[in-house]
Every structure is written in C-alpha cells, then in structure tokens.
Amino acid sequence: MSAPTTDELSAPELESLLALLDRLIENVGSVVLGKPEVIRLVAVALLAEGHVLIEDVPGVGKTLLARALAASIDCSFRRVQFTPDLLPSDILGSSVYNSGTGEFVFKPGPLFANVILADEINRTTPRTQSALLEAMGDRQVSVEGNSYPLEPPFLVLATQNPFEFEGTYVLPESQLDRFMMRVRMGYPLPSEERNILTTHRMGEPVESLQPVLSRDEVLKLQQATRSVKVDDSIADYLLEIVHATRDSEDLNVGVSTRGALTLYRAAQGFALVSGRSYVVPDDIKTMSLPVLAHRVVGKSFLQAGEFNASEAIIRDLVDRIRVPS
C-alpha cells in the first residue's frame, strides 16, 4: 500500500483539530474515570455523526458518560427517561390549538436538541422506540403530515439494560441498525472504583462540568472527519469484512450496505481521534466490533442481546482476512 497523503487536512489544521479533541476527551475523562476506550469511541461517533447505544447492567456509569459528553459541548441537551407509558408524541412533539389565532401551533418535543440522552430506551414500548427511527436516520421529524428538520449536530446517546432484565423490550433490528456503534461500560477496576468513591463524596462531579467545545467547533470536527483519506486498498479490506459476514455459516443476517458505510465513517473518525488524517487497517479492525456486532444475527442465538456471541463471530472473521500491506 502506498504511503497515504494528507492534502485533505494540512498539518496545522490537523494539529488544531487534535487540540479540540484532546480538550473534549480530557473533560469527559475527568468525571468518567477509568474508561478511556469507551470515551474515545463516543468521541468517534460524535465526529462521524453517528449515534451510540450504551448497553450494560445498571449502575456502571452509562448515564454519567452521556451527561458528561453533553455537558462538554455548548449545545442544547435534553434527557428523556423512557418508560412503558411514554408515547411517541411525548418525544416528537404535537400541535396545540391557539385560541388567539384559531390555528394549531406545533410544539417541539425533547428530540429537538443537539444532544439527546435516551435513558433506558428498552424500557419503553416498540411504538415509542420506532418514533426515534426517522429522527436518527434522516435528522428530521414528521408530525401530522409535516416534516421538521433537526439542527446539527444531532447525537442520540441511548442507554439500555441487558435484555434478560425484567421489564425490557427488545430493540428491533431496524432500530439497532440506526446506531453507529454499541458499547459496554464494564465494571471499573478496584483502584478506579476507589477514586470514584472519593470524587463523588461531595456530590456529582458532572454537575460542575463546563463546556469545552462550541457548536461551531463540533461542526468543524465533523466536517474535517469527512476529509480523512481512505485508500482504495483500505476500502477493499473493509468490504472483504462486510462480505465475509454475509457468507458466514454462523450468521443468518450479515452486514448491510448501510453498515459498510457506517464502518467507513467510523474508521475516519477513529483515525482523526488517533491523530491521523488517513485511515490504516487497524482503524477498520478496531471499529469492526463496536460497529458491526449489533448488526448481525447469528444462527446459534435468537436475541440481539447475545453481545458476546456476535462479537466473537466478528472477531474471528476479521482475524481470518488478510490485512493489506
């Protein structure tokens, strides 16, 4: 593979962008302790204009991570607690009759914000879950025959408990596919957990977190991410992985074309977070698990919640494909 060029992003531009990213990651990491990999993945999703599904058991910091990212950006933020009685109009908005003018006026719901925390998304009904689809995919909301655009940046950070927990509804494949990646927090190490006890002694540290990026700076980072170079050999390597999922004897459903494009954009974001203006094979390998594992359906399990099984299959496929040189 020929040496990558960086004419899309000059060295001074790249240095300026990395300074912005360092501020963001450091700010989030000041309250989300011991999870640098997860923070980097969420930053990648922000750069690549994707949405994140954070899945894990209760109490390991899923909501804290989402709140810390939102607090680090000088943008509008809304948190929606998903419950079984939540209706689509509760998140999309509805038309209200104005007696003064005799007309119906649209009142936007909480989705009309830049950063949305959809807390415990799998505790609400499929009807309300599906109301997120158009907003996440098309960056617009349709209510009563009218379409309303959502201003960029638009990022949905959804948390969910594992499916075996009581009172949860399985997310349909069509909605899982709208998430750029699915990540897990995991339990902290004992030393990290001790620090958490200390930092939370006087209250929630996230409450005092200040924005370190403006809306324009976020849009600048997103635009720059699209300029990250992807060599033809890297794109072919990505497609080999995608096609391998479709031909795998362990999978009933492989990765779609939308999934391939999502992996492409995520690799661009990861390259930029890693300080490069070009994608290397390791970027594809690193992003394959969080981007592809929730998009496939295996033959040995029925529920998409079998995270470990799908990850193992993707990891095995990636390991067997020759890396371009």
Side-chain angles (χ1 to χ4, degrees), residues 236-251:
D236 290 339
Y237 174 58
L238 182 154
L239 290 175
E240 279 192 69
I241 295 174
V242 169
H243 293 162
T245 66
R246 301 170 186 173
D247 298 333
S248 173
E249 296 181 354
D250 298 318
L251 298 175

Side-chain angles (χ1 to χ4, degrees), residues 49-65:
E49 303 171 60
H51 309 290
V52 182
L53 180 63
I54 310 171
E55 179 184 289
D56 218 316
V57 297
V60 292
K62 303 188 298 295
T63 301
L64 175 64
L65 173 62

